[in-house]
C-alpha cells in the first residue's frame, strides 16, 4: 500500500486511549485508524515492568501486522516503561502520551509551577515530572493521584454535583500551591475537563495530553511525508482482548461517536 | 502444636479482607490469626477462573504451611471460584465469604426481596444470587454493581457529603424496588455501613458478610472442638506480596487497630 494510505495504530490497556483517538480523528479526519484495547489485561499500572513490556510488544506486533504507518502508545504506564523496547522492534515512528504533554507544560508555564494529576501508578512512576525536568529542571512539579476520577468517568458521572465535589476535594491543595499549569496525566481525565477547569482558577491552563499527542502526530506525518491528505474515506477499526460489550457502551462516550467495526482477538 | 492453639488463616486478593479479620478478632479475641493479602496480584475479579484458582491455591499453601487450623477465603472472587479446589487440597475447614452472607439474607428477608451490592466482577458472577436461590428459589434477588464504593473506601471518604451522594445515586432504585434486606457483597463495603443505612429506609436490614463469616467460624470451631478458649495471648501476623506501606496505612483504617508484624513474601 502507498505509505500515505496506511492507517495509524493506537493501543491502550483499555478504554482510556479512546480520548487520544478522538483527538487524532479531530485533527486528521482523513487518516484511517486501528485501535487496540487490551481489555483482558487492564490495568497495566499494577503489573511488573517486565510484564508491561511483554504486553506492549504483543500489542505492537498485532498492530504492526496490520501495516500501520505510525504507532501511538495511548497508555501512560506503557508509555513510561515500554517506548524504548517498542522502538527497537519496529521501523515506524512511535509516539507515547507522556512527552507531548510534558513538553506542552514546559512551553505553557510562566511561574514554573506545574501540577500533574494521574492514577496512583502514573504518579508513583514520576514519569511526567522526569520528562518535564529533563527539559527545564527549574520547574517545580506538584504531583497528585486522583483515584476516584477514573471510576467517575467510567460511570459517566463527568459533570454535576458529585464530580464537582470530588474535583474540589482533590484539587484544593493544587490551587493553594499556585500552579499556573495543570497536566491531565491520565487518558480518562479529558472527560472531566469541564469540572476541573471550573474548580481551578481561571488563570490555570489545563494541558490535555490527548490534544498534544494529536498535534505531535500531525507534525511527524507532515515532516516525514506520510500525511494522507484529503482523498478517500477513513477506516475505523477496533480490536479488544475481552468481550466488547462494555467497551462499546463506555467507549462511545469517550470517543463521542459510534464504534462499529469491533472484533475480539487473542494476543 | 495442640490443635486448639493453631492460628486461623485468612487470605484476600488485597486489603478488603481485613474487614473480615476485624470481625473474627471481635468475635474471638483469643484466637491467633495470620492474614495474607496478595497485593501484587490484586484485583482477582478481572482474571480468568484458571488464574484465580492458581493464585488461591498458592495462597492456601502458604497459609497451610503455617499450620493453620481453619482457612478463611475473604475474597469474593476467590470464594465464588476456588472453594472446591481449595477444599480438595487441604484437610482443615475452609470458609468463604459468599455463603454465610447469602444464608443470613435468606433468614432475614420477610418480603422475599433481597438486594445485593458488590463490585462489577462479583455482580457479573451472580454468586450471591445463585447461593440465595439454592436455599430459597422464591426469593427475588436484585443485584447492583457500585464501582465507586471501593475507591471511596480506599481514599477514606466513608462519611460526609460525597459518600452520601454517591450512595444515594446508586441505591435509589433499590429503595424503589422495596427490598427489605441488602447484602453488602464486597469486603470493602462494611466501612460504608453508616452512609448506606442512612440512605436506605430504616426497615431495610443490612447484611454484613464479614459479621456472618465470623459467626460461622465460631460455630465451626466450637462444634469441631477447635476453639482456643481463654488462655494465652493471640498472635497477629500479616503477609503481603507487594510493598507493605500502603497496605499498612489503608489497612489500619479497615482493621481499626495497628498492623505490627508484617512481612513481604514471594509466592
Amino acid at each position: 500500500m502507498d505509505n500515505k494510505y496506511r492507517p495509524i495504530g493506537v493501543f491502550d490497556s483499555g478504554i482510556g486511549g479512546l480520548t487520544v483517538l478522538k483527538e487524532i480523528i479531530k485533527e486528521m479526519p482523513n487518516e484511517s485508524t486501528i485501535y487496540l484495547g487490551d481489555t483482558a489485561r487492564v490495568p497495566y499500572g499494577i503489573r511488573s515492568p517486565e510484564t508491561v513490556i511483554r504486553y506492549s510488544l504483543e500489542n505492537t506486533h498485532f498492530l504492526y501486522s496490520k501495516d500501520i504507518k505510525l504507532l501511538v502508545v495511548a497508555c501512560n504506564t506503557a508509555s513510561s516503561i515500554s517506548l524504548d523496547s517498542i522502538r527497537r522492534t519496529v521501523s515506524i515512528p512511535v509516539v507515547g502520551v507522556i512527552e507531548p504533554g510534558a513538553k506542552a507544560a514546559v512551553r505553557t508555564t510562566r511561574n514554573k509551577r506545574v501540577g500533574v494529576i494521574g492514577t496512583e501508578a502514573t504518579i508513583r512512576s514520576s514519569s511526567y515530572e522526569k520528562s518535564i525536568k529533563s527539559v527545564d529542571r527549574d520547574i517545580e512539579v506538584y504531583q497528585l493521584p486522583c483515584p476516584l476520577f477514573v471510576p467517575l468517568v467510567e460511570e459517566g458521572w463527568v459533570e454535576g454535583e458529585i464530580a464537582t465535589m470530588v474535583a474540589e476535594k482533590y484539587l484544593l491543595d493544587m490551587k493553594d500551591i499556585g500552579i499556573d499549569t495543570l497536566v491531565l496525566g491520565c487518558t480518562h481525565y479529558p472527560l472531566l475537563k469541564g469540572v476541573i477547569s471550573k474548580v481551578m482558577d481561571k488563570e490555570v491552563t489545563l494541558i490535555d495530553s490527548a490534544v498534544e499527542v494529536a498535534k505531535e502526530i500531525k507534525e511527524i506525518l507532515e515532516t516525514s511525508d506520510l500525511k494522507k491528505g484529503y482523498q478517500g474515506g477513513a477506516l475505523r477499526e477496533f480490536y479488544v482482548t475481552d468481550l466488547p460489550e462494555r467497551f462499546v457502551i463506555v467507549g462511545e462516550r469517550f470517543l463521542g461517536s459510534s464504534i462499529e467495526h469491533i472484533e475480539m482477538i487473542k494476543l
Side-chain angles (χ1 to χ4, degrees), chain A:
Chain A
M1 213 192 309
D2 182 335
N3 274 338
K4 293 183 182 176
Y5 289 89
R6 286 151 62 204
I8 295 170
V10 182
F11 83 75
D12 178 33
S13 57
I15 216 158
L18 290 173
T19 59
V20 179
L21 181 65
K22 183 187 179 182
E23 294 302 327
I24 294 172
I25 293 172
K26 201 168 144 192
E27 188 79 24
M28 296 157 279
N30 288 74
E31 297 290 346
S32 291
T33 57
I34 304 181
Y35 184 94
L36 167 61
D38 190 10
T39 46
R41 306 189 290 195
V42 69
Y44 282 10
I46 58 169
R47 322 224 173 252
S48 70
E50 295 72 32
T51 305
V52 172
I53 290 173
R54 183 160 61 82
Y55 290 177
S56 299
L57 291 178
E58 286 171 6
N59 298 337
T60 298
H61 290 146
F62 173 79
L63 289 170
Y64 201 55
S65 75
K66 298 272 173 191
D67 202 22
I68 54 173
K69 63 182 174 185
L70 181 146
L71 175 67
V72 184
V73 181
C75 165
N76 275 284
T77 304
S79 291
S80 66
I81 295 174
S82 322
L83 279 194
D84 287 344
S85 307
I86 294 173
R87 284 186 177 132
R88 275 198 296 273
T89 63
V90 295
S91 55
I92 52 172
V94 179
V95 180
V97 283
I98 290 160
E99 220 185 76
K103 285 197 294 192
V106 173
R107 278 198 310 274
T108 304
T109 184
R110 294 283 161 263
N111 71 3
K112 294 194 183 272
R113 293 176 165 229
V114 172
V116 177
I117 54 176
T119 62
E120 283 187 58
T122 298
I123 296 305
R124 212 181 317 118
S125 77
S126 292
S127 32
Y128 279 97
E129 184 175 18
K130 285 175 205 156
S131 188
I132 289 169
K133 282 190 173 288
S134 75
V135 185
D136 184 347
R137 43 185 306 190
D138 293 336
I139 292 175
E140 286 182 85
V141 180
Y142 303 91
Q143 302 191 99
L144 181 76
C146 303
L148 251 81
F149 279 177
V150 165
L152 269 180
V153 168
E154 298 213 345
E155 282 291 75
W157 301 359
V158 294
E159 43 194 34
E161 229 174 333
I162 293 176
T164 306
M165 285 170 63
V166 171
E168 273 170 357
K169 187 150 178 163
Y170 278 131
L171 299 173
L172 193 67
D173 286 350
M174 279 285 182
K175 285 178 75 165
D176 289 348
I177 288 165
I179 57 161
D180 69 352
T181 306
L182 179 62
V183 180
L184 309 181
C186 169
T187 51
H188 280 65
Y189 293 4
L191 283 104
L192 288 167
K193 226 191 268 184
V195 163
I196 294 170
S197 62
K198 206 167 65 186
V199 168
M200 297 302 290
D201 290 324
K202 278 208 191 72
E203 309 84 65
V204 175
T205 307
L206 301 190
I207 304 291
D208 178 342
S209 289
V211 172
E212 303 304 325
V213 170
K215 282 188 209 161
E216 173 133 343
I217 294 168
K218 195 176 178 186
E219 212 180 292
I220 293 173
L221 294 185
E222 274 165 358
T223 55
S224 55
D225 202 28
L226 282 170
K227 196 153 174 287
K228 188 180 164 200
Y230 296 94
Q231 322 92 307
L235 298 173
R236 307 268 167 252
E237 286 178 24
F238 297 87
Y239 296 89
V240 283
T241 53
D242 202 342
L243 297 176
E245 282 73 13
R246 186 168 176 275
F247 181 89
V248 172
I249 294 168
V250 181
E252 292 187 341
R253 268 199 330 259
F254 278 60
L255 197 59
S257 59
S258 68
I259 292 174
E260 277 154 21
H261 305 287
I262 186 160
E263 199 178 307
M264 186 175 149
I265 54 157
K266 210 173 148 58
L267 287 176

